[in-house]
Amino acid sequence: MNLRATAVAAAAFVVLTLPAGAVAKPVDADLKVRGSSLSPTSLVPGGSVTAKFVVLNPSKVAAPKSKTRLLLSIDSRSDSSDTVLGTVATAKVAARNKTKVSGAVLIPDRIIAGSYRLIACADSGRKVSESDEKNNCRTLPGTLLIRPVTGPTGGTGPTGPTGPTGSTQPTGPTGPTQPTGPTGPTGPNGTTSPLTFSPSTLTLGSLAYSFTNDEAFAARRQLLLTNPNSTAALPLSVQALGYQNSSLTSFFAIDEAIEGHPGCGEGLRLQPGASCGLTVDWAPRHHSGDLNGQVNITEAGTTRSMATMRVTASYLVRPYFSGGVPSFSAGRGIKDRDVIRVTNFGDVPDAVSYVINSRPSDALARFNVDPTRTNTCQGSIQPGGSCEIPVYFCSDTSGTFRSSFQLTGSGGRNDELVELRGTVPDDSDPGLCAGIFDP
């Protein structure tokens, strides 16, 4: 049965109550990192950076105290090439709750100058039993610029003693004038010719959703940097700087392989005719205002420019709906009830329709909206507002069954399609779902 109602969507934190006789599936905590601020965003090796972020636990089980590891990365991907900066103590996180985390770490002296990303990994010591151990790491928004260290200028040494004055000698006769010699060959050019971008100008387009959600929503495009010269380019360094409403915004360029070309990593020397890839990314910090950005390629360790590109993008104010869904577990023929909590993470009020679709192959299982309980998703939802949709799952046979939960804005925009999952672990109970599909 497909039902439509007015609602708004969001991350789901749910309360599960199983009827008597239901078989509960063991549940663990689930720690995730969301949101951040870095201070300062530019420093030299040996300096300290403070990261502030939130650790979420959307599960139904509290997570004990743990530690969050901070990594310095050149490519925003957590791997063995990253530098471990240290760990930050993380307090106990109650079920369906979050805790704010703040910690300062030092940038090692060995780090070379360049543009970096900071990655936070919850439960770094694996002390918390989690339902998903693969979602603990998060690349924090914003770029950390490590500047080269400039050494101090040495002082002037002491003046030595003045030597004795020698005797004056008479001036000798003037020698004959010699003819001018031939002109020597022309010396090599002092610098490498500029590199080129493809495309030559870049517009990210409209950012058509709200950035208030903690998820990494951003406008992205890919760039290729090419060396058109007959000699190898000097070692490269990539910097990105962007403004929204005259203030700095989260705009960065990440080295990333594109169409078989390697990423434009720090210190790369492009051979004649070779290309490397960059992914340009913008996650705005304000509810309005366009991006004015620039990607600069310089010789590594210097300010000598080798290529420059202006990047623009526009921000489109609108509602944004996102929804999280629970997983169901019950005995055969026993209805498992839960709720789907939905939120408007957008910038303006709006209404949303939803529909739950059971798959035709699951004839003996059903996901549905429960009309016997209160549905609060019945009107326009303000930005940040939430509501709850009561749902149930029932199956006459054991196994794992899936369905889909779709959210659609009032303008017909499909914001999210999420999979529902229900599990019946065994056939010990009688199959009685046929009489309760339509309560």
Side-chain angles (χ1 to χ4, degrees):
M1 178 173 65
N2 294 342
L3 297 182
R4 288 191 172 270
T6 314
V8 181
F13 302 106
V14 297
V15 179
L16 174 61
T17 303
L18 297 179
V23 178
K25 182 180 179 180
V27 179
D28 292 321
D30 186 19
L31 295 181
K32 303 177 182 180
V33 176
R34 292 292 183 269
S36 84
S37 65
L38 302 177
S39 179
T41 57
S42 176
L43 70 164
V44 297
S48 174
V49 60
T50 298
K52 296 181 180 181
F53 50 92
V54 172
V55 174
L56 300 176
N57 177 22
S59 76
K60 304 172 186 179
V61 176
K65 294 179 181 179
S66 60
K67 291 184 178 181
T68 301
R69 178 182 291 124
L70 294 179
L71 308 171
L72 189 67
S73 174
I74 62 172
D75 57 9
S76 77
R77 293 184 292 271
S78 177
D79 54 39
S80 58
S81 67
D82 298 336
T83 300
V84 178
L85 300 181
T87 58
V88 181
T90 305
K92 175 181 178 181
V93 188
R96 301 180 296 277
N97 214 322
K98 61 186 178 182
T99 184
K100 294 182 179 180
V101 182
S102 177
V105 288
L106 292 177
I107 303 299
D109 292 335
R110 68 179 184 275
I111 299 299
I112 63 174
S115 182
Y116 291 85
R117 304 297 303 280
L118 212 61
I119 300 175
C121 294
D123 187 26
S124 59
R126 295 294 178 93
K127 301 295 185 182
V128 181
S129 179
E130 297 188 65
S131 59
D132 187 353
E133 296 284 359
K134 297 181 180 180
N135 63 354
N136 287 2
C137 292
R138 179 84 169 187
T139 301
L140 304 181
T143 300
L144 189 63
L145 180 63
I146 307 299
R147 306 189 307 272
V149 178
T150 303
T153 303
T156 303
T159 303
T162 303
T165 303
S167 59
T168 303
Q169 300 296 321
T171 303
T174 303
T177 302
Q178 298 297 320
T180 302
T183 302
T186 302
N189 292 330
T191 60
T192 303
S193 301
L195 307 177
T196 60
F197 277 118
S198 176
S200 57
T201 59
L202 187 66
T203 301
L204 294 183
S206 296
L207 202 64
Y209 40 70
S210 171
F211 59 90
T212 53
N213 194 330
D214 285 334
E215 300 298 328
F217 293 144
R220 292 181 178 178
R221 291 292 185 275
Q222 292 181 327
L223 281 174
L224 278 178
L225 185 68
T226 303
N227 179 11
N229 308 296
S230 58
T231 57
L234 299 170
L236 308 180
S237 181
V238 182
Q239 297 91 33
L241 188 65
Y243 291 88
Q244 184 189 15
N245 296 337
S246 301
S247 62
L248 282 171
T249 188
S250 295
F251 173 68
F252 41 87
I254 305 169
D255 62 284
E256 187 169 299
I258 299 173
E259 298 175 356
H261 303 287
C264 300
E266 186 75 15
L268 175 69
R269 291 178 181 267
L270 272 182
Q271 298 302 312
S275 300
C276 61
L278 290 169
T279 294
V280 180
D281 190 300
W282 176 44
R285 293 185 175 180
H286 304 283
H287 288 259
S288 63
D290 297 341
L291 166 72
N292 243 326
Q294 186 168 288
V295 176
N296 298 314
I297 307 296
T298 61
E299 179 188 349
T302 75
T303 58
R304 184 181 302 162
S305 178
M306 303 173 73
T308 301
M309 168 176 281
R310 183 171 177 240
V311 182
T312 60
S314 58
Y315 179 77
L316 177 63
V317 175
R318 76 164 185 85
Y320 182 78
F321 303 117
S322 179
V325 294
S327 292
F328 300 87
S329 179
R332 186 167 67 119
I334 297 176
K335 183 186 295 185
D336 183 10
R337 294 178 172 85
D338 215 318
V339 295
I340 297 173
R341 183 176 177 82
V342 293
T343 304
N344 180 3
F345 281 120
D347 307 303
V348 294
D350 197 19
V352 65
S353 298
Y354 62 89
V355 62
I356 299 177
N357 296 313
S358 289
R359 297 182 177 179
S361 59
D362 295 341
L364 298 178
R366 185 72 61 88
F367 299 87
N368 219 331
V369 176
D370 189 348
T372 65
R373 293 182 290 154
T374 301
N375 184 343
T376 61
C377 295
Q378 299 291 334
S380 181
I381 308 299
Q382 297 297 316
S386 299
C387 62
E388 291 184 346
I389 303 170
V391 291
Y392 71 82
F393 161 75
C394 191
S395 173
D396 276 338
T397 185
S398 61
T400 298
F401 305 90
R402 290 175 172 82
S403 181
S404 60
F405 175 71
Q406 179 176 314
L407 302 170
T408 306
S410 61
R413 186 182 184 88
N414 179 26
D415 293 293
E416 192 165 27
L417 185 64
V418 184
E419 184 179 80
L420 289 163
R421 186 175 71 172
T423 301
V424 175
D426 56 56
D427 293 323
S428 59
D429 297 304
L432 300 174
C433 286
I436 59 173
F437 276 157
D438 299 305

